[in-house]
Amino acid sequence: MPLSKRPTLTQYLIEQRRRFPSASGELNALILDVSIACKAIARQVAYGKLGEDAGMRRGGEVNVQGEVQKRLDVVSNEIFVSLAEWSGHLAGMVSEEMIDPYQIPGEYPRGKYLLVFDPLDGSSNLDVDVTVGSIFSILRAPDDVVSSGRDVTEADFLQPGARQVAAGYALYGPATMLVLTVGNGVVGFTLDPSLGEYKLTHPDLRVAEDAQEFAINTSNARFWEPPVKRYVDECLAGRTGPRGKDFNMRWIASMVAEAHRILMRGGVFMYPRDTRNPGNPGRLRLLYEANPIGFVMEQAGARASTGRQAMLDVMPEALHQRIGLIFGSKNEVERIERYHREGTSRDAPIPLFVERGLFRD
Ligand code: AHG
Ligand code: MN
Ligand code: MN
């Protein structure tokens, strides 16, 4: 398609809104603000090590997760906040990099949506110049927040992922992309660097139901639960094992980039619940990692799960709650869920696994 014929993100959103003549356009405006924040973050990320020369803040503080914030974690968070707080569409925000919900300052009007985000996912990959991204989720604020204009509380954000109005991610890789769902399928835009505009390049992203590629950090194998060990062992056994086919494996360590690969060519991603740290049953965060990616996956015909239940049905208990996350090609995720139903006790490992286990303690 000639470049000039490709709709921009703005055109796409206007066309979507025409399907709902009564819509106010606030959601579109909010998504555009997020898309501009992502453009600004893409520029910051592109400076790499040179970004430090500008004398900007350096990071090094510890965030609510107990993780050391990189300079670009902090910068990206500030970009999201400053580009989204002023517009009057938001009642509040939650971010990986802020302990408490962010209140819209008094000088700005308050709106009916909540924005939840991971400003920079995969930031351990910054030093090695590997793809990172931003993840966002948009929820409706509870009615009484909208009618009273009161400050938001943690409880206002504890909504299951099925209630998301929109979600998506930006990817800062060889190209900058924005992938979005407003509950009507999944679309992908590529940032045209010469125009500074997102152009529609992937009008209907669908994930293949079957796959032969999996992603998991195998250095955690000794902490996995039996259903996960069983699944991985069977993949590794390849053509001569119970699956009767060979599998490929990838691990980028930027979940957002793994999600994108799966959208492009199928596969399954697992950062499952494990026993490494009893206080944290998983590594990834429910509200701003698992839920938005889960919504994108479900809208693309894939599946997102804890292993035990659909991710989007989980009732959140805390803003920064961690959870086991499995997503990707539907038949693979359903198989892993079946393995969880068939046997989850560490005391009663599945016989097949005991015989064939390649990752036994
Ligand atoms: P973040 O940079 O936002 O803290 O998230 C990083 C996450 C996720 O993107 C990735 O899949 C995972 O951490 C990698 O974890 P390991 O280092 O344990 O592989
Ligand atoms: Mn992250
Ligand atoms: Mn992050």
Side-chain angles (χ1 to χ4, degrees):
M1 190 188 289
L3 192 60
S4 58
K5 290 264 194 299
R6 289 192 183 281
T8 63
L9 173 62
T10 311
Q11 287 170 321
Y12 170 82
L13 289 172
I14 289 170
E15 276 164 21
Q16 289 296 306
R17 195 188 143 203
R18 284 184 187 144
R19 298 190 303 123
F20 302 98
S22 60
S24 65
E26 285 176 78
L27 180 64
N28 280 3
L30 175 55
I31 292 170
L32 285 173
D33 287 342
V34 168
S35 78
I36 294 167
C38 294
K39 241 189 258 187
I41 295 168
R43 294 308 305 148
Q44 291 292 324
V45 167
Y47 278 94
K49 187 82 176 157
L50 291 172
E52 292 171 17
D53 295 353
M56 290 173 2
R57 56 185 306 169
R58 303 190 68 84
E61 286 154 33
V62 174
N63 71 6
V64 61
Q65 328 285 337
E67 298 158 345
V68 176
Q69 291 174 312
K70 301 254 181 193
R71 182 183 66 84
L72 281 168
D73 285 325
V74 179
V75 168
S76 303
N77 191 64
E78 287 173 356
I79 289 173
F80 255 91
V81 167
S82 66
L83 282 165
E85 68 179 349
W86 64 275
S87 66
H89 307 309
L90 285 179
M93 301 185 227
V94 155
S95 156
E96 178 187 350
E97 306 303 340
M98 300 188 286
I99 296 175
D100 297 315
Y102 180 84
Q103 309 296 345
I104 302 300
E107 64 207 275
Y108 303 123
R110 290 183 173 181
K112 62 182 178 191
Y113 293 109
L114 302 173
L115 179 63
V116 182
F117 55 95
D118 176 354
L120 210 48
D121 178 62
S123 49
S124 72
N125 272 328
L126 286 167
D127 296 339
V128 285
D129 205 13
V130 166
T131 297
V132 293
S134 303
I135 308 173
F136 61 92
S137 162
I138 298 173
L139 296 160
R140 279 199 184 80
D143 288 343
D144 75 295
V145 172
V146 182
S147 57
S148 67
R150 68 163 168 80
D151 279 4
V152 284
T153 63
E154 175 171 18
D156 298 327
F157 290 83
L158 302 183
Q159 304 183 31
R163 291 218 211 127
Q164 291 171 104
V165 178
Y169 60 83
L171 211 59
Y172 315 122
T176 293
M177 290 196 65
L178 189 86
V179 171
L180 174 71
T181 181
V182 290
N184 179 33
V186 180
V187 285
F189 299 84
T190 303
L191 185 67
D192 178 338
S194 57
L195 292 176
E197 285 274 12
Y198 293 99
K199 294 279 198 159
L200 183 63
T201 45
H202 299 75
D204 184 19
L205 285 165
R206 306 289 302 169
V207 175
E209 292 194 346
D210 293 301
Q212 290 180 230
E213 194 164 68
F214 67 99
I216 192 165
N217 183 342
T218 49
S219 71
N220 296 323
R222 68 189 184 282
F223 304 115
W224 294 342
E225 294 179 327
V228 172
K229 290 188 178 187
R230 175 183 173 188
Y231 177 79
V232 174
D233 282 349
E234 290 182 3
C235 290
L236 294 175
R239 200 177 311 181
T240 54
R243 300 296 306 272
K245 59 181 184 179
D246 290 334
F247 282 76
N248 192 23
M249 201 212 81
R250 286 285 185 275
W251 188 250
I252 304 173
S254 290
M255 188 269 281
V256 67
E258 322 254 14
H260 192 69
R261 183 191 62 247
I262 288 171
L263 273 180
M264 291 297 125
R265 67 179 194 208
V268 63
F269 171 95
M270 291 165 279
Y271 216 125
R273 189 172 100 166
D274 64 27
T275 59
R276 179 171 41 168
N277 180 348
N280 281 332
R283 163 87 165 84
L284 298 175
R285 280 58 58 111
L286 175 58
L287 287 187
Y288 41 82
E289 292 177 319
N291 274 345
I293 295 298
F295 190 25
V296 168
M297 287 293 148
E298 299 266 345
Q299 284 291 316
R303 183 159 174 82
S305 172
T306 65
R308 292 162 176 81
Q309 76 180 117
M311 187 58 66
L312 300 187
D313 291 341
V314 173
M315 188 64 210
E317 289 169 0
L319 287 186
H320 300 285
Q321 175 180 351
R322 294 178 192 258
I323 197 153
L325 171 60
I326 296 162
F327 66 78
S329 292
K330 202 163 187 268
N331 291 339
E332 294 302 309
V333 176
E334 285 177 355
R335 173 183 287 270
I336 298 165
E337 290 179 307
R338 175 160 63 79
Y339 290 0
H340 279 82
R341 282 195 302 276
E342 286 174 6
T344 54
S345 164
R346 275 184 77 81
D347 304 329
I350 292 141
L352 179 69
F353 158 71
V354 174
E355 289 304 313
R356 293 176 180 265
L358 300 176
F359 284 124
R360 269 178 292 166
D361 292 350

CSV table of all heavy atoms in Angstrom, one decimal, residues 225-255:
chain,number,residue,atom,x,y,z
A,225,GLU,N,6.3,-25.1,39.1
A,225,GLU,CA,5.4,-26.1,39.6
A,225,GLU,C,5.3,-27.2,38.5
A,225,GLU,O,5.6,-27.0,37.3
A,225,GLU,CB,4.0,-25.5,39.8
A,225,GLU,CG,4.1,-24.4,40.9
A,225,GLU,CD,2.7,-23.7,41.1
A,225,GLU,OE1,2.0,-23.5,40.1
A,225,GLU,OE2,2.4,-23.4,42.3
A,226,PRO,N,4.9,-28.4,38.9
A,226,PRO,CA,4.9,-29.6,38.0
A,226,PRO,C,4.2,-29.4,36.7
A,226,PRO,O,4.7,-29.9,35.7
A,226,PRO,CB,4.2,-30.7,38.9
A,226,PRO,CG,4.5,-30.3,40.3
A,226,PRO,CD,4.5,-28.8,40.3
A,227,PRO,N,3.0,-28.7,36.6
A,227,PRO,CA,2.4,-28.6,35.3
A,227,PRO,C,3.3,-27.8,34.3
A,227,PRO,O,3.3,-28.1,33.1
A,227,PRO,CB,1.1,-27.8,35.6
A,227,PRO,CG,0.9,-27.9,37.0
A,227,PRO,CD,2.2,-28.1,37.7
A,228,VAL,N,4.0,-26.8,34.8
A,228,VAL,CA,4.9,-26.1,33.9
A,228,VAL,C,6.1,-26.9,33.5
A,228,VAL,O,6.5,-27.0,32.3
A,228,VAL,CB,5.3,-24.7,34.6
A,228,VAL,CG1,6.4,-24.0,33.8
A,228,VAL,CG2,4.1,-23.9,34.8
A,229,LYS,N,6.7,-27.6,34.5
A,229,LYS,CA,7.8,-28.5,34.1
A,229,LYS,C,7.4,-29.6,33.1
A,229,LYS,O,8.1,-29.8,32.1
A,229,LYS,CB,8.3,-29.3,35.4
A,229,LYS,CG,9.0,-28.4,36.4
A,229,LYS,CD,9.6,-29.2,37.5
A,229,LYS,CE,10.3,-28.3,38.5
A,229,LYS,NZ,11.0,-29.0,39.5
A,230,ARG,N,6.2,-30.1,33.3
A,230,ARG,CA,5.7,-31.1,32.3
A,230,ARG,C,5.6,-30.5,30.9
A,230,ARG,O,6.0,-31.1,30.0
A,230,ARG,CB,4.3,-31.6,32.8
A,230,ARG,CG,3.7,-32.5,31.8
A,230,ARG,CD,2.3,-32.9,32.3
A,230,ARG,NE,1.6,-33.7,31.2
A,230,ARG,CZ,0.3,-34.1,31.3
A,230,ARG,NH1,-0.4,-33.7,32.3
A,230,ARG,NH2,-0.2,-34.8,30.3
A,231,TYR,N,5.0,-29.3,30.8
A,231,TYR,CA,4.8,-28.7,29.5
A,231,TYR,C,6.2,-28.4,28.8
A,231,TYR,O,6.4,-28.8,27.7
A,231,TYR,CB,4.0,-27.4,29.6
A,231,TYR,CG,3.9,-26.7,28.3
A,231,TYR,CD1,2.9,-27.1,27.4
A,231,TYR,CD2,4.7,-25.6,27.9
A,231,TYR,CE1,2.8,-26.5,26.1
A,231,TYR,CE2,4.6,-25.0,26.7
A,231,TYR,CZ,3.6,-25.5,25.8
A,231,TYR,OH,3.5,-24.9,24.6
A,232,VAL,N,7.1,-27.9,29.6
A,232,VAL,CA,8.4,-27.5,29.0
A,232,VAL,C,9.1,-28.8,28.6
A,232,VAL,O,9.7,-28.9,27.5
A,232,VAL,CB,9.2,-26.6,29.9
A,232,VAL,CG1,10.6,-26.4,29.4
A,232,VAL,CG2,8.5,-25.3,30.1
A,233,ASP,N,9.1,-29.8,29.5
A,233,ASP,CA,9.8,-31.1,29.2
A,233,ASP,C,9.2,-31.7,27.9
A,233,ASP,O,10.0,-32.2,27.1
A,233,ASP,CB,9.6,-32.1,30.3
A,233,ASP,CG,10.5,-31.8,31.5
A,233,ASP,OD1,11.4,-31.0,31.4
A,233,ASP,OD2,10.3,-32.4,32.6
A,234,GLU,N,7.9,-31.6,27.8
A,234,GLU,CA,7.3,-32.2,26.5
A,234,GLU,C,7.7,-31.4,25.3
A,234,GLU,O,7.9,-32.0,24.2
A,234,GLU,CB,5.8,-32.2,26.7
A,234,GLU,CG,5.4,-33.3,27.7
A,234,GLU,CD,3.9,-33.4,27.9
A,234,GLU,OE1,3.1,-32.7,27.1
A,234,GLU,OE2,3.4,-34.2,28.7
A,235,CYS,N,7.9,-30.1,25.4
A,235,CYS,CA,8.3,-29.3,24.3
A,235,CYS,C,9.8,-29.7,23.9
A,235,CYS,O,10.1,-29.9,22.8
A,235,CYS,CB,8.3,-27.8,24.6
A,235,CYS,SG,6.7,-27.1,24.7
A,236,LEU,N,10.6,-29.8,25.0
A,236,LEU,CA,12.0,-30.1,24.8
A,236,LEU,C,12.2,-31.5,24.2
A,236,LEU,O,13.2,-31.8,23.5
A,236,LEU,CB,12.8,-30.0,26.1
A,236,LEU,CG,12.9,-28.6,26.7
A,236,LEU,CD1,13.6,-28.6,28.0
A,236,LEU,CD2,13.6,-27.6,25.7
A,237,ALA,N,11.3,-32.4,24.5
A,237,ALA,CA,11.4,-33.8,24.0
A,237,ALA,C,11.2,-33.8,22.5
A,237,ALA,O,11.6,-34.8,21.8
A,237,ALA,CB,10.4,-34.7,24.7
A,238,GLY,N,10.5,-32.8,22.0
A,238,GLY,CA,10.5,-32.6,20.5
A,238,GLY,C,9.7,-33.8,19.8
A,238,GLY,O,8.8,-34.4,20.4
A,239,ARG,N,10.2,-34.0,18.6
A,239,ARG,CA,9.5,-35.0,17.7
A,239,ARG,C,9.4,-36.4,18.4
A,239,ARG,O,8.5,-37.1,18.1
A,239,ARG,CB,10.3,-35.1,16.4
A,239,ARG,CG,9.5,-35.6,15.3
A,239,ARG,CD,10.3,-35.6,14.0
A,239,ARG,NE,10.9,-34.3,13.8
A,239,ARG,CZ,11.7,-34.0,12.7
A,239,ARG,NH1,11.9,-34.9,11.8
A,239,ARG,NH2,12.2,-32.8,12.6
A,240,THR,N,10.4,-36.7,19.2
A,240,THR,CA,10.3,-38.1,19.7
A,240,THR,C,9.6,-38.2,21.0
A,240,THR,O,9.4,-39.2,21.6
A,240,THR,CB,11.8,-38.6,20.0
A,240,THR,OG1,12.5,-37.6,20.8
A,240,THR,CG2,12.5,-38.8,18.7
A,241,GLY,N,9.1,-37.0,21.5
A,241,GLY,CA,8.3,-37.0,22.8
A,241,GLY,C,6.8,-37.0,22.5
A,241,GLY,O,6.4,-37.2,21.4
A,242,PRO,N,6.1,-36.8,23.6
A,242,PRO,CA,4.6,-36.9,23.5
A,242,PRO,C,4.0,-35.9,22.5
A,242,PRO,O,2.9,-36.2,22.0
A,242,PRO,CB,4.1,-36.7,24.9
A,242,PRO,CG,5.2,-36.1,25.7
A,242,PRO,CD,6.5,-36.5,25.0
A,243,ARG,N,4.6,-34.8,22.3
A,243,ARG,CA,4.0,-33.8,21.4
A,243,ARG,C,4.2,-34.2,19.9
A,243,ARG,O,3.5,-33.7,19.0
A,243,ARG,CB,4.6,-32.4,21.6
A,243,ARG,CG,4.3,-31.8,23.0
A,243,ARG,CD,2.9,-31.6,23.3
A,243,ARG,NE,2.2,-30.8,22.4
A,243,ARG,CZ,2.1,-29.5,22.4
A,243,ARG,NH1,2.6,-28.8,23.4
A,243,ARG,NH2,1.4,-28.8,21.5
A,244,GLY,N,5.2,-35.0,19.7
A,244,GLY,CA,5.5,-35.4,18.3
A,244,GLY,C,5.9,-34.4,17.3
A,244,GLY,O,5.9,-34.5,16.1
A,245,LYS,N,6.5,-33.2,17.9
A,245,LYS,CA,7.0,-32.2,17.0
A,245,LYS,C,8.1,-31.4,17.7
A,245,LYS,O,8.1,-31.4,19.0
A,245,LYS,CB,5.9,-31.3,16.5
A,245,LYS,CG,5.1,-30.5,17.6
A,245,LYS,CD,4.0,-29.6,16.9
A,245,LYS,CE,3.3,-28.8,18.0
A,245,LYS,NZ,2.3,-27.9,17.5
A,246,ASP,N,9.0,-30.8,17.0
A,246,ASP,CA,10.0,-30.0,17.6
A,246,ASP,C,9.6,-28.6,17.9
A,246,ASP,O,8.8,-28.0,17.2
A,246,ASP,CB,11.2,-29.9,16.6
A,246,ASP,CG,11.9,-31.3,16.5
A,246,ASP,OD1,11.8,-32.1,17.4
A,246,ASP,OD2,12.5,-31.5,15.4
A,247,PHE,N,10.1,-28.1,19.0
A,247,PHE,CA,9.8,-26.7,19.4
A,247,PHE,C,11.0,-25.8,19.4
A,247,PHE,O,12.1,-26.3,19.7
A,247,PHE,CB,9.2,-26.7,20.8
A,247,PHE,CG,7.7,-27.1,20.9
A,247,PHE,CD1,7.4,-28.4,20.8
A,247,PHE,CD2,6.7,-26.2,21.1
A,247,PHE,CE1,6.1,-28.8,20.8
A,247,PHE,CE2,5.4,-26.5,21.1
A,247,PHE,CZ,5.1,-27.9,21.0
A,248,ASN,N,10.8,-24.6,19.1
A,248,ASN,CA,11.9,-23.6,19.2
A,248,ASN,C,11.7,-22.8,20.5
A,248,ASN,O,10.6,-22.8,21.1
A,248,ASN,CB,11.8,-22.6,18.0
A,248,ASN,CG,13.0,-21.8,17.9
A,248,ASN,OD1,14.1,-22.1,18.4
A,248,ASN,ND2,12.9,-20.6,17.2
A,249,MET,N,12.7,-22.1,21.0
A,249,MET,CA,12.6,-21.3,22.2
A,249,MET,C,13.2,-20.0,22.1
A,249,MET,O,14.2,-19.8,21.3
A,249,MET,CB,13.3,-22.1,23.4
A,249,MET,CG,12.8,-21.6,24.7
A,249,MET,SD,14.0,-21.6,26.0
A,249,MET,CE,14.9,-20.1,25.7
A,250,ARG,N,12.6,-18.9,22.7
A,250,ARG,CA,13.1,-17.6,22.7
A,250,ARG,C,13.0,-17.0,24.1
A,250,ARG,O,12.0,-17.3,24.8
A,250,ARG,CB,12.3,-16.7,21.8
A,250,ARG,CG,12.6,-16.9,20.3
A,250,ARG,CD,13.9,-16.3,19.9
A,250,ARG,NE,14.1,-16.4,18.5
A,250,ARG,CZ,14.6,-17.5,17.9
A,250,ARG,NH1,15.0,-18.5,18.6
A,250,ARG,NH2,14.9,-17.5,16.6
A,251,TRP,N,13.9,-16.1,24.5
A,251,TRP,CA,13.7,-15.4,25.8
A,251,TRP,C,14.4,-14.0,25.6
A,251,TRP,O,15.6,-13.9,25.6
A,251,TRP,CB,14.3,-16.1,27.0
A,251,TRP,CG,13.9,-15.4,28.3
A,251,TRP,CD1,14.8,-14.7,29.1
A,251,TRP,CD2,12.6,-15.3,28.9
A,251,TRP,NE1,14.0,-14.2,30.2
A,251,TRP,CE2,12.7,-14.5,30.1
A,251,TRP,CE3,11.3,-15.8,28.5
A,251,TRP,CZ2,11.6,-14.2,30.9
A,251,TRP,CZ3,10.3,-15.5,29.3
A,251,TRP,CH2,10.4,-14.7,30.5
A,252,ILE,N,13.6,-13.0,25.5
A,252,ILE,CA,14.1,-11.6,25.2
A,252,ILE,C,14.3,-10.9,26.6
A,252,ILE,O,15.2,-10.1,26.7
A,252,ILE,CB,13.2,-10.8,24.3
A,252,ILE,CG1,12.9,-11.5,23.0
A,252,ILE,CG2,13.7,-9.4,24.1
A,252,ILE,CD1,11.8,-10.9,22.2
A,253,ALA,N,13.5,-11.3,27.6
A,253,ALA,CA,13.5,-10.6,28.9
A,253,ALA,C,12.9,-9.2,28.8
A,253,ALA,O,13.1,-8.4,29.7
A,253,ALA,CB,14.9,-10.6,29.5
A,254,SER,N,12.1,-8.9,27.7
A,254,SER,CA,11.2,-7.8,27.7
A,254,SER,C,9.9,-8.4,27.4
A,254,SER,O,9.6,-8.8,26.2
A,254,SER,CB,11.5,-6.8,26.6
A,254,SER,OG,12.7,-6.1,26.8
A,255,MET,N,9.0,-8.5,28.3
A,255,MET,CA,7.7,-9.2,28.1
A,255,MET,C,7.0,-8.6,26.9
A,255,MET,O,6.3,-9.3,26.1
A,255,MET,CB,6.9,-9.2,29.4
A,255,MET,CG,5.7,-10.1,29.3
A,255,MET,SD,4.2,-9.1,28.8
A,255,MET,CE,3.8,-8.2,30.3
